Amino acid sequence: MLRYDYAPALAFLEPHDWEAIHPRLEAAQKMLLEHTGPGHEMLGWRELLRKPDDALLEMLDATAAEIREQADVFLCLGIGGSYLGARAVIEALTPSFRHLAPTPEILFAGHHLSGSYLKALLNYLEGKSVYLNVVSKSGTTLETMLAFRVLRPWMEARFPDASRRILVTTDPAHGRLLEMARTYGYPRFAIPPNVGGRFSVLTAVGLLPIAVAGVDIRSLFYGAVETCERLSNPLDNPALNYAALRYLLYERGYALELLAVFEPRLSGIGAWWQQLFGESEGKQGKGLYPDTVQYSTDLHSLGQYVQEGRRHLIETFLMVEREPDPLLVPDTGDDLDGLAYLSGRSFQEINRIAYEGTRKAHAEGGVPVSTIWLEHLSPNALGACLYFFMHAVAISGYLLGVNPFDQPGVEAYKREMYRLLGHA
């Protein structure tokens, strides 16, 4: 279902490096599996896969089915892990042009502080049947709760059943948002206390909007379950290999990792991955800076730098093996565009060749490259991909000697922001 090809990058290491890292790699894996490492109290994202809650999946599916029947728009309010995972999976697994889909349009807000965006959003929503899902574990996330402060009265003024149309996903026991849900009778879903935001895509945080979009959340979830079981074995473990390679290259002075996709629908996975690795590793002056690029588009902007710029970056490709019903290049009966030699070949084949050429050129230009291969673009494969990255970043954090499950630096900007806003 998922394989990891890191052979080209081994040329950038010494022969003994790979063997030397294995004792530390095994120790990191043991800390993760036995809950003995830093932040072990936040490993609920693994526990929910080891003990699947089928009743929750059924409830989410039933709620999503009701919303699909009645809504034109399903509006998700959240920031960071409260929306990135859901958006990534929806973009990857639903039609690029959503008006062709027999499900509500999925929109996102509450992930920035733009008043002009909210005004435009309200104008767009006018006259539509809207359901709203506000997601915040603490219930105090400024961007999300400000958007909710605008949208809650808008919903109440237009829908007599607004208290049924507003759904809350938050901490099950504490917080302002939970208090509001209880006060107004909003349907609510729990964010497990032992699951951090960037690891929450396989909880109600991500699964509810993903289900509303018409994606098979059971297949998504059980793709992660199967991969969790597979990656508990240290043998032939792609997540351990990925974490080890990144760490060894980091120790050799590499400072930045690019996650490169050749399928535009995977760009959202890149954005989710960027938060996952940035917040998990970027502590105590450590960690690779994570960035994401979409090829071949970005080969015409950043490609020059990747090929010949400063040699401080590594590159990981996220690729799909097979595409159903590929589009073929038509035979137009002439060669005025000079592309007749491609007639009859599929865009998937051409895209694959573009990847192979890019990988070879970048490796020869001094960039360590590796590739994560998904068998196909499906809910099951996406579930495997999500868990693969979560397992890998936990191991990577332990190799770095940091707690991969906290984010103390995020609180620093919040303190200054709230001080300047006059919040006591």
Side-chain angles (χ1 to χ4, degrees), residues 360-410:
K360 186 173 187 297
H362 288 179
E364 291 177 351
V367 178
V369 297
S370 63
T371 306
I372 299 161
W373 287 98
L374 305 182
E375 186 177 350
H376 41 68
L377 207 47
S378 68
N380 197 258
L382 256 290
C385 178
L386 295 171
Y387 182 79
F388 165 84
F389 280 128
M390 289 190 282
H391 192 107
V393 80
I395 299 300
S396 189
Y398 288 155
L399 289 175
L400 286 169
V402 302
N403 178 352
F405 308 114
D406 66 359
Q407 52 280 337
V410 173

Side-chain angles (χ1 to χ4, degrees), residues 84 87-89 91 264-273:
L84 284 171
R87 190 183 72 175
V89 174
E91 288 180 358
R265 288 185 294 168
L266 288 175
S267 293
I269 296 293
W272 171 81
W273 166 90

